[in-house]
Amino acid sequence: MSVPTKTASNAHAAAEDPSIAKSLSDAEIFYDQTAGWIATHYMSIVIACSIGAVIIAVLYGLRMLGTRLCRREHVGHWPKIIGRAIARTNLFFIVTLAARLVSGYANPPAVVSTTIGFLFTVAAALQAAIWVRELIIGTVEYRAGDDDSGSSTLGSAIGIIRLLVTSICFIVAILLILDNIGVNITGLVASLGIGGIAIGLAAQGIFSDLFASLAIIFDRPFRRGDTVRWDQTVGTVESIGLKTTRVRATTGEEVVISNTNLLNKELRNLAHTMRRRATLMLGVTYQTSPETCRRLPDMVKAIVTAHDKAVFLHCCMINFGASSLDYELLFDVIDEDVEVFNATRHSICIEILERFAREGIDFAYPTQTTFTAAPDGRMIMPYAEIPAELLHKG
């Protein structure tokens, strides 16, 4: 009993299906040309393979260097991001790149050169997508902070950003591959564009808040734990989500506001105030002597400058009030912590009270003086009259 050979089986299949016949013919041509090329250019092929091996070793070494950059702690963020991208270099891309670089030296047949070019195009497109994805996501994660959990920053937003960036990068890579192998992608690109516009219009509000989340990541107007103020609301940021930000108001309730509306307002971040200014109004009685009034700013200045974190600006009389001589005191407290500011201002106020008590300076309070007349029409003054000799002496 005879066993049918592989050639006979191939010939039988080719006779039944013309497409199989064409594939078998292409394969035979590829085999014949490759065998003939190896037989006639074996020395050039060996040299090209040696050079290719050196190129692969160098590129693999660069990939290992990128991995080490990712693990180092005392380097900047950009070396880490670039190292992370380099570490994701695919071995398939390294091999096809080396083959592409040395293929011209070995003078391969057209079918072999075309195959190497096609594989390199596929590997380069996919590798470029991976590099771009790693660079973008690495930059976003750095701007978001080291801890990107949902409770601290925009963890949910970053997850969606990863998905969107990955999808866009690989869709573009696939389109480039199809275009390079001769596929007409005009209709496909148009369909993707129309679909993207429809999705964008349907989810306009969601995307608006998503981009507002990106603005918070990159611009950092505030972070979790910061005290912010907008409109009539003052509170501490508790969480920053994909669509909304939750703030615990000083009155106790939780305020939920969309990221878009929050960034459209005039927002004041009170957590990073390096210099806080205090303005105090001091009102003394009209019975205070001019000499004491003249010395009062120097007294207050000495009290303010005695504090390390306080910077004296000015203290001067600014008004003759209805029942007081009004002074304005201005000083800055150099510290971010609002409690330090409050403690410094409190201490200065207490020391002013103590100094004024020692000097006999009375603080004024709203008063009203009533003038009455005696039955004979003589004015009765509400205070003791000054002796005439003192008036002449003055």
Side-chain angles (χ1 to χ4, degrees):
M1 185 175 62
S2 62
V3 179
T5 63
K6 183 177 180 180
T7 304
S9 177
N10 292 341
H12 179 69
E16 293 182 354
D17 191 344
S19 62
I20 296 178
K22 185 176 184 305
S23 299
L24 292 175
S25 177
D26 292 340
E28 290 175 356
I29 293 173
F30 178 80
Y31 175 77
D32 293 339
Q33 290 184 359
T34 303
W37 169 58
I38 293 174
T40 56
H41 298 81
Y42 64 91
M43 185 58 67
S44 299
I45 294 173
V46 171
I47 295 174
C49 289
S50 301
I51 297 173
V54 173
I55 294 174
I56 291 174
V58 172
L59 295 177
Y60 195 80
L62 290 175
R63 190 175 81 165
M64 293 179 64
L65 178 61
T67 304
R68 290 184 179 181
L69 281 176
C70 295
R71 296 175 181 173
R72 290 185 178 180
E73 297 181 356
H74 303 290
V75 295
H77 62 278
W78 280 113
K80 284 188 176 181
I81 294 174
I82 296 174
R84 172 178 169 176
I86 295 175
R88 294 298 304 274
T89 303
N90 195 282
L91 185 60
F92 177 64
F93 169 73
I94 294 176
V95 173
T96 54
L97 176 60
R100 179 73 172 179
L101 292 175
V102 302
S103 61
Y105 179 81
N107 194 21
V111 63
V112 175
S113 179
T114 303
T115 302
I116 294 175
F118 170 73
L119 294 177
F120 173 73
T121 299
V122 174
L126 295 177
Q127 186 60 62
I130 293 174
W131 281 340
V132 172
R133 174 187 179 275
E134 293 301 323
L135 290 174
I136 294 176
I137 293 178
T139 303
V140 171
E141 289 179 349
Y142 166 73
R143 297 298 301 179
D146 295 332
D147 182 9
D148 61 351
S149 61
S151 61
S152 60
T153 54
L154 301 176
S156 56
I158 293 176
I160 292 183
I161 291 169
R162 288 195 187 101
L163 178 62
L164 291 176
V165 170
T166 302
S167 301
I168 293 173
C169 288
F170 281 97
I171 287 174
V172 173
I174 292 172
L175 291 177
L176 290 176
I177 292 172
L178 293 176
D179 185 60
N180 275 274
I181 63 177
V183 177
N184 186 3
I185 62 172
T186 304
L188 181 60
V189 172
S191 300
L192 290 174
I194 294 174
I197 292 173
I199 294 174
L201 292 175
Q204 183 177 3
I206 296 176
F207 282 114
S208 176
D209 289 318
L210 175 61
F211 288 125
S213 300
L214 289 176
I216 294 174
I217 289 177
F218 286 98
D219 194 43
R220 291 185 179 182
F222 57 86
R223 300 293 297 273
R224 181 176 177 266
D226 289 354
T227 301
V228 297
R229 179 172 65 188
W230 77 93
D231 292 342
Q232 302 300 319
T233 303
V234 179
T236 302
V237 178
E238 289 190 339
S239 65
I240 305 169
L242 173 63
K243 182 174 177 58
T244 61
T245 294
R246 300 175 185 269
V247 179
R248 181 66 62 181
T250 54
T251 52
E253 72 270 15
E254 183 181 63
V255 181
V256 181
I257 183 171
S258 68
N259 294 327
T260 302
N261 291 335
L262 186 61
L263 292 184
N264 286 336
K265 298 179 180 295
E266 181 181 340
L267 185 70
R268 298 186 181 184
N269 192 334
L270 307 179
H272 302 288
T273 305
M274 298 298 297
R275 178 187 293 261
R276 298 177 185 271
R277 178 159 297 180
T279 302
L280 299 179
M281 301 303 298
L282 307 176
V284 299
T285 62
Y286 273 94
Q287 285 71 35
T288 306
S289 66
E291 181 61 29
T292 302
C293 290
R294 187 176 292 107
R295 292 189 300 109
L296 192 146
D298 293 332
M299 299 179 196
V300 175
K301 181 178 180 181
I303 294 172
V304 173
T305 55
H307 293 76
D308 294 336
K309 293 183 176 295
V311 177
F312 177 82
L313 297 178
H314 73 251
C315 180
C316 57
M317 184 185 292
I318 60 172
N319 189 32
F320 292 94
S323 56
S324 63
L325 301 173
D326 297 329
Y327 286 79
E328 182 184 62
L329 168 61
L330 230 64
F331 63 91
D332 289 343
V333 178
I334 312 299
D335 200 285
E336 284 190 15
D337 193 351
V338 66
E339 294 303 325
V340 174
F341 169 77
N342 291 332
T344 303
R345 181 174 57 182
H346 172 77
S347 177
I348 290 174
C349 289
I350 296 299
E351 292 177 19
I352 290 175
L353 281 174
E354 294 173 345
R355 181 64 183 272
F356 280 21
R358 289 196 303 268
E359 296 287 340
I361 302 174
D362 295 326
F363 283 98
Y365 50 86
T367 58
Q368 185 175 10
T369 303
T370 302
F371 296 91
T372 57
D376 59 357
R378 182 174 54 85
M379 184 68 66
I380 301 175
M381 306 304 293
Y383 46 83
E385 295 185 5
I386 302 175
E389 60 272 13
L390 293 180
L391 291 175
H392 293 301
K393 184 179 179 180

